[in-house]
Each structure stands twice: as C-alpha cells, then as structure tokens.
Amino acid sequence: MWILVRKFSEGFINLVFLNKVYRILFAKADALWGRLYPLRPTLEAMALRPFELHLELTNLCNADCIFCPYQYQTRKIEFMPDEVFYKAVRDYVYCGGGSVGLTPIVGDALIDPKFVERVLYLRSQPSIDRIWVVTNGILLDKHGIAEILNAGLTSITVSTAGFDEAMYTRVYRSNSYQKMKKNVTELVAQNARLKEPLHLTLALRPDRPLQEVLKDPDLQPILAYRPQIDFTWAFGTIGGKIKPEELPQAMKLRSLTIKKESCVNLYNGPIVLPRGEVMACSCVAAMDAVSDLGIGNIMKTPLSDIWKGEQLKQIRASFGTGALNATCSGCDFYRNLDCYRTREGRERARINRARHRGEITFRDKKANAPFVGG
C-alpha cells in the first residue's frame, strides 16, 4: 500500500513540474508559429485602450518576504480613497471595460478593509469581465471566505512559501503560518462546494526542492481539492535590490536579457496607484519608479487619454535605444512581445477592437498561459 502511495506522490510531483515545462514550451512554439503573422496590427489594437486595469488598493503588506522588494519600498504607505477608485473604474468602463486586477505592485489587497466592497462594485458593472487577485491568504478570514468567494472574483492566486511552518517563517518572515494554512484549507474546501467554483492557484515560493515541498503533510488536505499548483524557480533582483547572498541557495536570481523590443507589460494595461498616479507597468520594478514609468494621473486626465498619450508611446519606443529609462534597463522581469505573437495575443487584439467600438465582450474561457489575469 505504501509503495502505491509513494508512486502516486512521485507521479503528481512530476506532473506539476512537467505541466509548467509544457506551458512554457507550448507558449514558445505558439509564438514561433505566430511570427508568420504581422505583429503590428495586434499592437495597434492593444494601444487603442487598456485591455486590463490594475488597481493598487494599498501598498501595505503583512508579510516581509525575503525575495520581495517590499522591504526596500520608499513610497509612503497608503490606501486608495473612494474618489480615486470610482474615477478609475468609471474611466475604464467608459472606454469599454474588460478585466481588472487587484494585485498591488507590492503589498496585499486584502489589507484594504473595503476589499469585498470594491469587488462587488466592479462585478456590478456590465462591462467588467474577469476580476482577479494574488494574495498571501493571511486575511482571507478577516473579510469572510464565503464573502470573498461570492463577491464576484473569477480567480484567486495564493502566494506562499509552502505548507511547512519553519520554511514559511524563513521565507515569508511572518508568524501567521497557522492562520494562513487554516484560511487556504477552508478556501479550497468552500470553493469546491460552489456551483461555479473560482479558479484557484497555489503559487509556491519555497527554499527547498519542489519534490520535498509537495510531500509536506500540511499540504495534503489542500491537494485533495486539486487546486492548480504553480511554482517559481527564479526570482528578480529588482534593479539590484535583492542580492544573491540574501537568498537561500535553492532560490536562484534571474539574469538580465537584451531588450531589443518593447516589454509586453507596456501593452497589457496600466496600474493606478492610491493617489491616482498611473503607471505604465505593474511589475515589481515599478514599485518606486514614478519618475520613469509614471504616465499621468487619473484625477487630472481620463484613463483613455493617458493610455494613448505620448509618455507611454515614448517608453515603448525607447526599448533597443539609449533612451531607455533606468528602471526598465535594470529590470529582470522583462518579457519581449512573443506573448502577442500567440493565438491568445491575437484574440486579445480582436477583443480590444470590439471593446473600442463599444461592444460589451466577455472571455468564454478561464485565463491560462501565456497570459494570466485577463
């Protein structure tokens, strides 16, 4: 009997790893085939309006992960006031709506006491499609797990070191392991009972080998509900902020790549910060980079005008030149435009044109590779 259990466990571990490898290779093959199609029409469609809207409800976090630049953030801790939130959503709906991400550049959206209220409002808008969030799961119970699951989100990703208390304490530098474990266990259980369950992903950031982490006893009751499992095998330096000596040996750092063409993040959609600043990019490199990646303020200029403005055009055009800003030059989260060479990229372009024409358009499938979120 034990041999059968062990074989199943080993098979599951291999499946998780192979699934990630498959998704990466499939996306690369899809993009390679996509080079037979002209890229310009797709990018022109994505530049018409934001395909996604990202909202940073707060830049405060209740963990202090060793791999996260949050520990070096210089921006003042803030919460998005109502006037900024509603103005951003109104502008987005006015120019066609679409998908909304509630994951901060750094921080955790569930710290916002109005998180569920915000999701409910977004879901009440006929043109809002997918709504998603990445969270560490520590405050799921604060809002009520049932309330979160029924508010209108389409997907939740729980970011965690794993389900071993010692490792969690080392990597997330938080004493909330037991609370997080209880919350996530209840989250997957309640979600499984829903008529239309949300798409749940466990995003593991361990400092131990994956094959060990997936065998941890605390994880087994959660795996019984079959959430999607993802994992990170390379972490960003965030412009040199994270040093190799600060991470365990098992956590490798990314390396810089040549940036001949614009970064894909500059076509997905902007992020609105609590004071209304609009950033061209929502990746962690943008944490304190208002001077390099700020493209306007939602309280002064309509979102559509900001997205089509000269500042964003100049940032896109600066890749491959000496005019590229310091933040993008030192960013190791850069990705080229291959995502928009895929079938999914061309489908996004088709949808964006329809929304630009005023058509209310929804996705008929859950998000998957090569894009997440919208």
Side-chain angles (χ1 to χ4, degrees):
M1 180 64 180
W2 169 245
I3 293 176
L4 291 175
V5 172
R6 187 177 66 183
K7 289 293 184 183
F8 174 80
S9 177
E10 291 172 352
F12 174 73
I13 293 166
N14 291 335
L15 185 62
V16 170
F17 180 80
L18 291 174
N19 181 54
K20 179 145 190 166
V21 171
Y22 168 79
R23 285 187 284 121
I24 293 172
L25 292 179
F26 180 83
K28 288 183 178 296
D30 196 4
L32 183 62
W33 178 261
R35 288 181 179 270
L36 298 174
Y37 296 84
L39 181 61
R40 182 183 294 274
T42 297
L43 298 183
E44 288 176 346
M46 301 313 297
L48 290 172
R49 54 173 303 281
F51 185 81
E52 301 171 348
L53 175 65
H54 302 256
L55 299 172
E56 186 177 77
L57 302 182
T58 181
N59 60 330
L60 175 63
C61 196
N62 47 0
D64 187 26
C65 304
I66 59 174
F67 57 82
C68 182
Y70 176 76
Q71 58 196 304
Y72 302 113
Q73 181 179 219
T74 61
R75 275 194 293 144
K76 178 183 176 182
I77 297 298
E78 296 179 297
F79 288 81
M80 182 176 284
D82 287 350
E83 56 266 30
V84 174
F85 173 79
Y86 290 112
K87 172 63 162 55
V89 176
R90 283 198 303 270
D91 279 10
Y92 188 51
V93 167
Y94 181 78
C95 67
S99 301
V100 178
L102 296 175
T103 305
I105 294 177
V106 291
D108 197 283
L110 269 63
I111 296 176
D112 183 0
K114 294 185 175 181
F115 176 77
V116 171
E117 177 184 327
R118 303 298 201 203
V119 176
L120 287 168
Y121 179 76
L122 289 167
R123 184 47 65 212
S124 73
Q125 303 303 303
S127 63
I128 297 296
D129 191 3
R130 296 171 176 167
I131 308 171
W132 74 95
V133 68
V134 179
T135 175
N136 57 36
I138 294 173
L139 292 179
L140 286 166
D141 62 322
K142 173 187 174 183
H143 300 277
I145 291 173
E147 285 74 12
I148 288 176
L149 287 171
N150 290 289
L153 292 167
T154 49
S155 67
I156 300 174
T157 297
V158 177
S159 170
T160 182
F163 291 83
D164 169 74
E165 188 162 12
M167 179 174 64
Y168 182 86
T169 303
R170 288 194 306 270
V171 177
Y172 275 55
R173 294 189 290 202
S174 166
N175 60 3
S176 300
Y177 173 76
Q178 293 297 333
K179 185 177 182 183
M180 181 279 297
K181 181 187 73 170
K182 181 179 179 182
N183 282 345
V184 175
T185 305
E186 188 60 29
L187 178 72
V188 296
Q190 288 198 33
N191 188 60
R193 294 194 288 267
L194 293 178
K195 183 178 180 181
E196 295 185 11
L198 278 66
H199 185 69
L200 296 185
T201 301
L202 297 183
L204 304 179
R205 285 87 172 91
D207 67 356
R208 295 163 44 218
L210 181 66
Q211 62 266 30
E212 295 179 9
V213 172
L214 291 176
K215 293 178 182 178
D216 285 337
D218 285 357
L219 178 57
Q220 304 316 304
I222 295 170
L223 291 181
Y225 292 98
R226 299 185 178 182
Q228 179 171 327
I229 302 292
D230 200 359
F231 61 96
T232 298
W233 51 32
F235 297 83
T237 68
I238 323 300
K241 291 183 175 66
I242 307 296
K243 310 294 184 184
E245 59 269 22
E246 296 174 353
L247 298 181
Q249 189 174 6
M251 302 176 82
K252 307 299 182 183
L253 288 173
R254 296 168 181 253
S255 57
L256 289 174
T257 57
I258 298 174
K259 302 170 174 122
K260 293 183 178 179
E261 62 183 14
S262 178
C263 179
V264 68
N265 290 319
L266 299 177
Y267 284 93
N268 294 340
I271 186 167
V272 180
L273 305 187
R275 288 187 295 178
E277 296 103 334
V278 181
M279 304 289 283
C281 169
S282 62
C283 85
V284 291
M287 178 180 68
D288 291 318
V290 176
S291 60
D292 282 348
L293 291 167
I295 55 175
N297 191 298
I298 200 75
M299 303 308 291
K300 299 177 181 178
T301 309
L303 179 64
S304 180
D305 291 350
I306 293 173
W307 185 249
K308 293 185 289 188
E310 286 302 315
Q311 286 176 279
L312 181 52
K313 290 179 182 178
Q314 289 174 12
I315 295 173
R316 290 171 179 155
S318 67
F319 281 78
T321 76
L324 185 62
N325 65 70
T327 299
C328 293
S329 295
C331 177
D332 39 30
F333 280 91
Y334 165 82
R335 289 190 298 162
N336 65 17
L337 296 171
D338 275 358
C339 283
Y340 281 109
R341 294 183 172 99
T342 64
R343 283 174 290 179
E344 169 66 15
R346 295 189 291 277
E347 174 66 4
R348 281 188 166 210
R350 182 193 68 78
I351 290 172
N352 222 38
R353 293 188 196 97
R355 288 173 176 162
H356 183 64
R357 295 192 297 266
E359 301 173 19
I360 295 179
T361 307
F362 298 100
R363 307 304 309 268
D364 59 353
K365 296 179 180 178
K366 293 180 180 178
N368 54 21
F371 291 95
V372 296

